[in-house]
Structure formats: structure tokens, C-alpha cells
Amino acid sequence: TLRGYRENRFAGRATALANLETRWKILDGRRAGLILLAFADGGRVFDRPRDATWRNWKGAAGGGLRITWDRVMVLNMSHGRSGEDANTFISFGHMF
């Protein structure tokens, strides 16, 4: 969920996440669509929920492309960068 870090980079019993995503429709045709996006992700893991704090959150940002077909199928491609790593994701469906 933190696009820009390796999968399973952080582990804990409690997780806090925040995502901000902006989408621009470039093509909104009857059969196909094209959406550009920019995002910022932040998060932190904790051993216990009561240990939650606003300090030491990790963040990542990036952009991507969504291709829609018949307004039902969505191909999601995004690339995120953090201070530690970079990662590219390809999946089906919107993130949210």
C-alpha cells in the first residue's frame, strides 16, 4: 500500500495508512478510456494500536496510468518512489 517501497517492507500488528490520489481523464470514450494519476502515500506500523503516534511515518509519491475498457475493466499501472526505493505496480481495478 505504500507504493515506492518493496512489498512487505514493513510489518506490525497495527497499521495506519493515508493515500491521496488525483486523477485526470484524458480520454473518456464509449469503449476505452485513459486516466493519468498522481499520488502521495504515507503510513506506519505499530506493535500495538495504543503505540500509534504521528512520528516517523514513511512516505512515497509517484504517478501512473489507468486504461479502462467498456467502463468495467481497469488496467492500473503506477510507479512510486520513496527515499529508500522505487517500485512499479501493475494490477486490475482502481486502488479505491
Side-chain angles (χ1 to χ4, degrees):
T1 53
L2 280 178
R3 298 168 281 186
Y5 286 92
R6 291 183 187 202
E7 193 170 346
N8 299 320
R9 165 65 177 84
F10 304 103
R13 297 182 74 195
T15 304
L17 296 170
N19 302 97
L20 175 65
E21 187 170 290
T22 302
R23 301 174 186 162
W24 296 275
K25 284 187 179 181
I26 303 301
L27 173 65
D28 192 15
R30 185 171 232 184
R31 300 275 301 180
L34 185 63
I35 302 168
L36 291 177
L37 62 104
F39 64 84
D41 298 339
R44 171 99 195 266
V45 297
F46 308 94
D47 291 329
R48 297 178 304 251
R50 69 178 177 207
D51 295 336
T53 178
W54 289 106
R55 293 189 319 249
N56 301 321
W57 276 51
K58 302 295 183 184
L65 180 68
R66 304 252 168 91
I67 300 170
T68 62
W69 186 257
D70 278 340
R71 298 183 188 261
V72 177
M73 188 185 86
V74 179
L75 176 61
N76 176 13
M77 298 171 285
S78 57
H79 180 77
R81 295 191 65 81
S82 67
E84 184 175 298
D85 207 349
N87 209 341
T88 300
F89 298 90
I90 299 174
S91 64
F92 288 97
H94 286 293
M95 183 168 178
F96 48 88

PDB file of all heavy atoms in Angstrom, residues 9 14 17 27-28 38-40 48-49 59 65 75 83 90:
ATOM      1  N   ARG A   9       7.684  -4.633   3.150  1.00  0.00           N
ATOM      2  CA  ARG A   9       8.849  -3.972   3.746  1.00  0.00           C
ATOM      3  C   ARG A   9       8.619  -3.693   5.230  1.00  0.00           C
ATOM      4  O   ARG A   9       9.529  -3.781   6.036  1.00  0.00           O
ATOM      5  CB  ARG A   9       9.139  -2.684   2.983  1.00  0.00           C
ATOM      6  CG  ARG A   9      10.066  -1.694   3.645  1.00  0.00           C
ATOM      7  CD  ARG A   9      11.477  -2.231   3.794  1.00  0.00           C
ATOM      8  NE  ARG A   9      12.359  -1.249   4.352  1.00  0.00           N
ATOM      9  CZ  ARG A   9      12.511  -0.996   5.657  1.00  0.00           C
ATOM     10  NH1 ARG A   9      11.810  -1.662   6.545  1.00  0.00           N
ATOM     11  NH2 ARG A   9      13.350  -0.074   6.071  1.00  0.00           N
ATOM     12  N   ALA A  14      -0.455  -3.546  13.989  1.00  0.00           N
ATOM     13  CA  ALA A  14      -1.377  -2.439  13.705  1.00  0.00           C
ATOM     14  C   ALA A  14      -0.775  -1.581  12.596  1.00  0.00           C
ATOM     15  O   ALA A  14       0.443  -1.357  12.555  1.00  0.00           O
ATOM     16  CB  ALA A  14      -1.603  -1.603  14.961  1.00  0.00           C
ATOM     17  N   LEU A  17      -2.553   4.032   7.534  1.00  0.00           N
ATOM     18  CA  LEU A  17      -2.247   4.398   6.143  1.00  0.00           C
ATOM     19  C   LEU A  17      -3.030   5.637   5.734  1.00  0.00           C
ATOM     20  O   LEU A  17      -4.157   5.848   6.191  1.00  0.00           O
ATOM     21  CB  LEU A  17      -2.638   3.268   5.191  1.00  0.00           C
ATOM     22  CG  LEU A  17      -1.895   1.955   5.354  1.00  0.00           C
ATOM     23  CD1 LEU A  17      -2.558   0.878   4.521  1.00  0.00           C
ATOM     24  CD2 LEU A  17      -0.452   2.128   4.925  1.00  0.00           C
ATOM     25  N   LEU A  27      -8.951  10.576 -21.906  1.00  0.00           N
ATOM     26  CA  LEU A  27      -9.841  10.050 -22.930  1.00  0.00           C
ATOM     27  C   LEU A  27     -10.992   9.351 -22.227  1.00  0.00           C
ATOM     28  O   LEU A  27     -10.780   8.505 -21.370  1.00  0.00           O
ATOM     29  CB  LEU A  27      -9.096   9.055 -23.828  1.00  0.00           C
ATOM     30  CG  LEU A  27      -9.912   8.281 -24.857  1.00  0.00           C
ATOM     31  CD1 LEU A  27     -10.484   9.230 -25.901  1.00  0.00           C
ATOM     32  CD2 LEU A  27      -9.068   7.206 -25.505  1.00  0.00           C
ATOM     33  N   ASP A  28     -12.203   9.730 -22.569  1.00  0.00           N
ATOM     34  CA  ASP A  28     -13.380   9.126 -21.951  1.00  0.00           C
ATOM     35  C   ASP A  28     -14.327   8.675 -23.061  1.00  0.00           C
ATOM     36  O   ASP A  28     -15.417   9.209 -23.222  1.00  0.00           O
ATOM     37  CB  ASP A  28     -14.061  10.124 -21.021  1.00  0.00           C
ATOM     38  CG  ASP A  28     -15.109   9.469 -20.143  1.00  0.00           C
ATOM     39  OD1 ASP A  28     -15.111   8.232 -20.039  1.00  0.00           O
ATOM     40  OD2 ASP A  28     -15.919  10.208 -19.556  1.00  0.00           O
ATOM     41  N   ALA A  38      -1.644  11.089 -10.185  1.00  0.00           N
ATOM     42  CA  ALA A  38      -0.524  11.422  -9.303  1.00  0.00           C
ATOM     43  C   ALA A  38      -0.953  11.041  -7.892  1.00  0.00           C
ATOM     44  O   ALA A  38      -2.135  11.163  -7.547  1.00  0.00           O
ATOM     45  CB  ALA A  38      -0.195  12.906  -9.385  1.00  0.00           C
ATOM     46  N   PHE A  39      -0.015  10.579  -7.083  1.00  0.00           N
ATOM     47  CA  PHE A  39      -0.400  10.138  -5.745  1.00  0.00           C
ATOM     48  C   PHE A  39       0.690  10.425  -4.721  1.00  0.00           C
ATOM     49  O   PHE A  39       1.857  10.626  -5.057  1.00  0.00           O
ATOM     50  CB  PHE A  39      -0.722   8.640  -5.727  1.00  0.00           C
ATOM     51  CG  PHE A  39       0.442   7.748  -6.046  1.00  0.00           C
ATOM     52  CD1 PHE A  39       1.334   7.377  -5.064  1.00  0.00           C
ATOM     53  CD2 PHE A  39       0.639   7.277  -7.330  1.00  0.00           C
ATOM     54  CE1 PHE A  39       2.415   6.553  -5.362  1.00  0.00           C
ATOM     55  CE2 PHE A  39       1.704   6.459  -7.636  1.00  0.00           C
ATOM     56  CZ  PHE A  39       2.602   6.097  -6.644  1.00  0.00           C
ATOM     57  N   ALA A  40       0.266  10.444  -3.464  1.00  0.00           N
ATOM     58  CA  ALA A  40       1.153  10.502  -2.303  1.00  0.00           C
ATOM     59  C   ALA A  40       0.610   9.506  -1.283  1.00  0.00           C
ATOM     60  O   ALA A  40      -0.590   9.488  -1.009  1.00  0.00           O
ATOM     61  CB  ALA A  40       1.205  11.903  -1.724  1.00  0.00           C
ATOM     62  N   ARG A  48       1.382  -2.388  18.768  1.00  0.00           N
ATOM     63  CA  ARG A  48       0.039  -2.382  19.362  1.00  0.00           C
ATOM     64  C   ARG A  48      -0.674  -1.101  18.950  1.00  0.00           C
ATOM     65  O   ARG A  48      -0.026  -0.053  18.808  1.00  0.00           O
ATOM     66  CB  ARG A  48       0.134  -2.434  20.890  1.00  0.00           C
ATOM     67  CG  ARG A  48       0.779  -3.690  21.425  1.00  0.00           C
ATOM     68  CD  ARG A  48       0.872  -3.618  22.940  1.00  0.00           C
ATOM     69  NE  ARG A  48       1.600  -2.425  23.347  1.00  0.00           N
ATOM     70  CZ  ARG A  48       2.833  -2.423  23.866  1.00  0.00           C
ATOM     71  NH1 ARG A  48       3.451  -3.551  24.050  1.00  0.00           N
ATOM     72  NH2 ARG A  48       3.417  -1.312  24.210  1.00  0.00           N
ATOM     73  N   PRO A  49      -1.988  -1.121  18.776  1.00  0.00           N
ATOM     74  CA  PRO A  49      -2.712   0.100  18.407  1.00  0.00           C
ATOM     75  C   PRO A  49      -2.465   1.255  19.380  1.00  0.00           C
ATOM     76  O   PRO A  49      -2.393   2.410  18.968  1.00  0.00           O
ATOM     77  CB  PRO A  49      -4.173  -0.334  18.415  1.00  0.00           C
ATOM     78  CG  PRO A  49      -4.130  -1.793  18.123  1.00  0.00           C
ATOM     79  CD  PRO A  49      -2.878  -2.288  18.797  1.00  0.00           C
ATOM     80  N   GLY A  59       6.805   7.859   3.753  1.00  0.00           N
ATOM     81  CA  GLY A  59       6.015   8.384   2.652  1.00  0.00           C
ATOM     82  C   GLY A  59       6.599   8.025   1.299  1.00  0.00           C
ATOM     83  O   GLY A  59       7.781   7.696   1.176  1.00  0.00           O
ATOM     84  N   LEU A  65      -0.877   5.443 -14.762  1.00  0.00           N
ATOM     85  CA  LEU A  65      -1.783   5.447 -15.902  1.00  0.00           C
ATOM     86  C   LEU A  65      -2.826   4.364 -15.677  1.00  0.00           C
ATOM     87  O   LEU A  65      -2.490   3.258 -15.231  1.00  0.00           O
ATOM     88  CB  LEU A  65      -0.980   5.155 -17.172  1.00  0.00           C
ATOM     89  CG  LEU A  65      -1.701   5.095 -18.492  1.00  0.00           C
ATOM     90  CD1 LEU A  65      -2.210   6.481 -18.871  1.00  0.00           C
ATOM     91  CD2 LEU A  65      -0.757   4.571 -19.566  1.00  0.00           C
ATOM     92  N   LEU A  75      -7.071  -1.401 -16.158  1.00  0.00           N
ATOM     93  CA  LEU A  75      -5.678  -1.796 -16.039  1.00  0.00           C
ATOM     94  C   LEU A  75      -4.954  -0.651 -15.339  1.00  0.00           C
ATOM     95  O   LEU A  75      -4.952   0.480 -15.824  1.00  0.00           O
ATOM     96  CB  LEU A  75      -5.051  -2.069 -17.408  1.00  0.00           C
ATOM     97  CG  LEU A  75      -3.558  -2.397 -17.410  1.00  0.00           C
ATOM     98  CD1 LEU A  75      -3.284  -3.662 -16.601  1.00  0.00           C
ATOM     99  CD2 LEU A  75      -3.046  -2.525 -18.827  1.00  0.00           C
ATOM    100  N   GLY A  83      12.317   7.641  -0.324  1.00  0.00           N
ATOM    101  CA  GLY A  83      13.712   7.938  -0.051  1.00  0.00           C
ATOM    102  C   GLY A  83      14.579   6.695   0.001  1.00  0.00           C
ATOM    103  O   GLY A  83      15.804   6.778   0.021  1.00  0.00           O
ATOM    104  N   ILE A  90       1.551  -3.178 -11.384  1.00  0.00           N
ATOM    105  CA  ILE A  90       0.577  -3.381 -12.461  1.00  0.00           C
ATOM    106  C   ILE A  90      -0.502  -4.289 -11.890  1.00  0.00           C
ATOM    107  O   ILE A  90      -0.213  -5.364 -11.374  1.00  0.00           O
ATOM    108  CB  ILE A  90       1.217  -4.015 -13.704  1.00  0.00           C
ATOM    109  CG1 ILE A  90       2.316  -3.091 -14.247  1.00  0.00           C
ATOM    110  CG2 ILE A  90       0.166  -4.288 -14.771  1.00  0.00           C
ATOM    111  CD1 ILE A  90       3.125  -3.676 -15.381  1.00  0.00           C
TER     112      ILE A  90
END
